[in-house]
Amino acid sequence: MMNYSKGFKINLDIFIVSFLILFLEILLIRWISSEIRIFAYLNNLVLLACFLGIGLGCYLSRGRMGNMLVPFILLAFIAVCIRYEVFAQITYNLSGFQDTHIWWTSKEINFLSILVGISSTLTLFLMVLCLFVPLGQMLGRLFDEHHNTIVAYSINIGAGILGLWFFNWLSFLNSPPLVWVAIFLAGMFILIARLAYRGKVMLLAFLLSVFTCLVFIKTGASTEKTFWSPYQKLTLMPNYYSSLRNGYIINVNNAGYMTVLDLSEEFMRRHPAQYSRNQRKYGQYDLPYRFKNSINDILIVGSGAGNDVAGALRNTSARIDAVEIDPVIYRLGLEFHPEKPYQDKRVSIFLDDARSFFRKSQKKYDFISFGLLDSVTLGSSYVNTRLDHYVYTLESFQEARRLLKEDGVMTIVFQVERPWIGARIRALLEKTFGESPLVLKIDNVNGPFGWGGTMFVASNRMAALKDAAMKDSGLS
């Protein structure tokens, strides 16, 4: 009976430690990459720190056991650094390299700023690494004490998978980092209680846990509202043009991402000094519909909070299928977009990935519009591939073309900040349609009709498309 009890205790301890290690690993990868933007692109650096910390802990498992308060202390310190943006400048300090494109950052290389950025990154890297060492030590000791290594590894793998999926479930519920961290700290508290820690250690662990959770709570009035989707951190705040409030702006991972604009006839009539109908016709949301007259069915992928859908509703009487992968962005558009495009009966919403929708749909469209799909969202916490890397590909464009009617038109809007990006999209479209697309520069950056960018227009009938463009005086 004694051996059974001891074996059960070791198995349970391995389960708890393994669960917490994987849970914390995914927590830090997502949390840090959301709050410090460059880590959305250098995500594997956090992953490497986690692995090294666990490995170093296992290597040192036969030596003196590390203090189990270390994870509580370091997690509190990381929370304070993120809350007060201590590491915020890392993104700007390391954004000057030409092979790393990060939206809305300086592109000038300065040796001192790069040195500061690398030093700050190394500091954060070591903090994450050291956070895992005591947990790695405990896991290593439990493996040494276990009578059956295969059973121990099986429990380790199973518990790790459960920790990973539990975090994914919390993300699916749109929970914020406060919930993630509180769950981890509660698990750590249970763990040190099982290790027979008493008195001062338990009290300090409790106080550090309370302090860490309080760091997340922001006080004072604010016009910002923060939401955590399964993919990213979203911040909603009022948007202004010439001191006139014209909707909202949505930041993703602390960077400007999309606007939610009121471009309705009623709003423009009330503010003629700031808005011109003629200018709106050539804004990114209305311009696509100047290339084709008869439109009955429209597909918009990357429909976001609804600006592209509102533009289609203003300019056509067509039926619209809108595809948006992020359910929280869709709900923000549903609730906050001034023109209420998602509430129109002509609009059908599909919460799906663009590529997935292309493959499943058999419907033919007069018009297919790619919204601004620029993203800092990764396809996985274990790779540096962004979601839009799956959309701006030859296969994706070919799948979209399959859904076009014989005289259908396809438009793509992208914020081209590197010449090779624009050249790549143009070449892919030329290969897809057999002819070079129209390329239009929308000089409307930060204007009243959207952020602008470069618009690529392609069709199965390029001659008719180019003829329509030539006849439009506003495009000449």
Side-chain angles (χ1 to χ4, degrees):
M1 183 68 180
M2 190 69 179
N3 289 336
Y4 174 80
S5 299
K6 183 179 180 181
F8 178 79
K9 181 182 183 302
I10 292 177
N11 288 339
L12 184 58
D13 287 343
I14 290 175
F15 180 89
I16 294 173
V17 174
S18 303
F19 181 95
L20 290 175
I21 284 175
L22 245 304
F23 184 86
L24 179 62
E25 183 181 312
I26 304 301
L27 184 162
L28 289 173
I29 289 171
R30 183 171 183 206
W31 184 27
I32 290 174
S33 64
S34 297
E35 297 290 2
I36 307 173
R37 241 192 319 151
I38 197 166
F39 287 103
Y41 304 85
L42 306 176
N43 197 292
N44 286 344
L45 199 61
V46 181
L47 178 65
L48 179 61
C50 298
F51 280 171
L52 286 177
I54 297 166
L56 182 61
C58 289
Y59 178 76
L60 299 173
S61 61
R62 295 183 182 179
R64 182 180 176 182
M65 185 65 187
N67 193 326
M68 290 304 293
L69 284 176
V70 168
F72 291 91
I73 295 169
L74 287 177
L75 198 58
F77 192 66
I78 291 173
V80 169
C81 289
I82 289 177
R83 170 69 175 82
Y84 294 100
E85 300 181 351
V86 174
F87 294 120
Q89 291 301 311
I90 292 178
T91 301
Y92 299 93
N93 291 335
L94 300 181
S95 64
F97 299 103
Q98 290 296 312
D99 58 345
T100 303
H101 177 59
I102 301 174
W103 303 115
W104 316 119
T105 53
S106 170
K107 298 181 181 63
E108 296 180 3
I109 296 179
N110 179 287
F111 177 77
L112 181 60
S113 67
I114 290 175
L115 185 63
V116 171
I118 293 174
S119 301
S120 302
T121 302
L122 182 61
T123 301
L124 181 60
F125 182 89
L126 291 174
M127 287 167 59
V128 173
L129 187 154
C130 293
L131 198 160
F132 280 90
V133 170
L135 292 170
Q137 279 187 292
M138 182 178 296
L139 183 63
R141 286 196 175 190
L142 289 169
F143 272 118
D144 288 339
E145 293 175 9
H146 204 283
H147 69 282
N148 190 321
T149 305
I150 294 178
V151 171
Y153 271 114
S154 299
I155 295 171
N156 171 248
I157 293 170
I161 292 172
L162 285 175
L164 186 154
W165 280 105
F166 183 65
F167 183 85
N168 286 343
W169 178 69
L170 291 175
S171 297
F172 179 77
L173 295 178
N174 306 323
S175 60
L178 171 58
V179 173
W180 315 338
V181 171
I183 289 173
F184 171 76
L185 291 173
M188 281 296 299
F189 202 77
I190 293 171
L191 185 62
I192 64 172
R194 289 182 57 78
L195 295 175
Y197 282 97
R198 293 290 183 269
K200 292 181 180 179
V201 173
M202 296 295 290
L203 178 61
L204 282 172
F206 176 76
L207 292 176
L208 284 166
S209 300
V210 172
F211 171 78
T212 304
C213 292
L214 289 175
V215 168
F216 288 90
I217 301 174
K218 295 184 179 181
T219 58
S222 175
T223 58
E224 296 184 5
K225 296 181 179 181
T226 299
F227 308 85
W228 287 82
S229 82
Y231 301 98
Q232 49 212 354
K233 174 187 177 184
L234 304 167
T235 306
L236 180 79
M237 64 189 77
N239 189 66
Y240 295 88
Y241 176 73
S242 298
S243 301
L244 172 68
R245 179 169 173 174
N246 63 345
Y248 296 89
I249 182 171
I250 297 176
N251 288 349
V252 168
N253 298 345
N254 306 315
Y257 188 67
M258 70 175 65
T259 51
V260 185
L261 299 175
D262 190 348
L263 299 177
S264 64
E265 291 293 330
E266 180 186 355
F267 188 79
M268 295 185 70
R269 278 197 300 268
R270 285 191 280 117
H271 305 286
Q274 291 88 355
Y275 289 91
S276 161
R277 284 188 183 85
N278 189 58
Q279 288 181 338
R280 187 185 67 177
K281 289 191 300 185
Y282 298 98
Q284 67 192 76
Y285 305 116
D286 293 69
L287 177 59
Y289 306 102
R290 301 192 65 77
F291 296 102
K292 186 171 173 56
N293 294 322
S294 178
I295 302 177
N296 297 312
D297 294 286
I298 298 173
L299 171 62
I300 299 173
V301 294
S303 59
N307 283 340
D308 295 278
V309 177
L313 291 170
R314 285 193 301 268
N315 290 275
T316 73
S317 57
R319 296 175 295 272
I320 302 167
D321 289 343
V323 179
E324 171 56 43
I325 193 173
D326 195 317
V328 177
I329 289 180
Y330 160 67
R331 289 203 295 270
L332 291 178
L334 185 67
E335 181 177 354
F336 293 101
H337 199 292
E339 297 184 58
K340 305 297 181 185
Y342 286 135
Q343 297 180 20
D344 194 287
K345 293 181 180 179
R346 289 182 285 155
V347 178
S348 299
I349 183 70
F350 297 86
L351 295 175
D352 199 356
D353 169 65
R355 294 290 299 275
S356 173
F357 184 88
F358 290 155
R359 291 194 183 100
K360 290 184 292 189
S361 179
Q362 298 301 319
K363 186 176 178 180
K364 295 290 186 178
Y365 296 92
D366 300 287
F367 206 97
I368 296 178
S369 172
F370 285 69
L372 268 167
L373 285 156
D374 315 1
S375 171
V376 295
T377 302
L378 301 178
S380 163
S381 296
Y382 293 98
V383 298
N384 284 333
T385 306
R386 287 157 49 183
L387 289 181
D388 45 284
H389 289 166
Y390 298 106
V391 177
Y392 299 106
T393 65
L394 178 63
E395 294 78 9
S396 176
F397 292 157
Q398 289 173 341
E399 290 167 358
R401 187 189 180 190
R402 179 182 65 82
L403 302 181
L404 276 179
K405 294 180 181 178
E406 189 177 343
D407 60 344
V409 174
M410 188 165 82
T411 63
I412 296 168
V413 177
F414 200 90
Q415 186 66 39
V416 177
E417 294 195 10
R418 293 283 193 275
W420 63 266
I421 297 176
R424 179 179 179 275
I425 294 176
R426 180 172 184 165
L428 291 175
L429 288 171
E430 184 172 354
K431 191 168 184 179
T432 300
F433 287 88
E435 293 187 58
S436 182
L438 292 178
V439 182
L440 306 171
K441 180 67 175 176
I442 305 174
D443 294 318
N444 196 38
V445 177
N446 297 326
F449 303 109
W451 283 345
T454 301
M455 179 176 288
F456 303 84
V457 190
S459 174
N460 290 320
R461 295 181 177 177
M462 286 301 300
L465 182 66
K466 292 176 180 178
D467 185 56
M470 289 292 292
K471 291 178 179 178
D472 194 319
S473 59
L475 296 175
S476 58

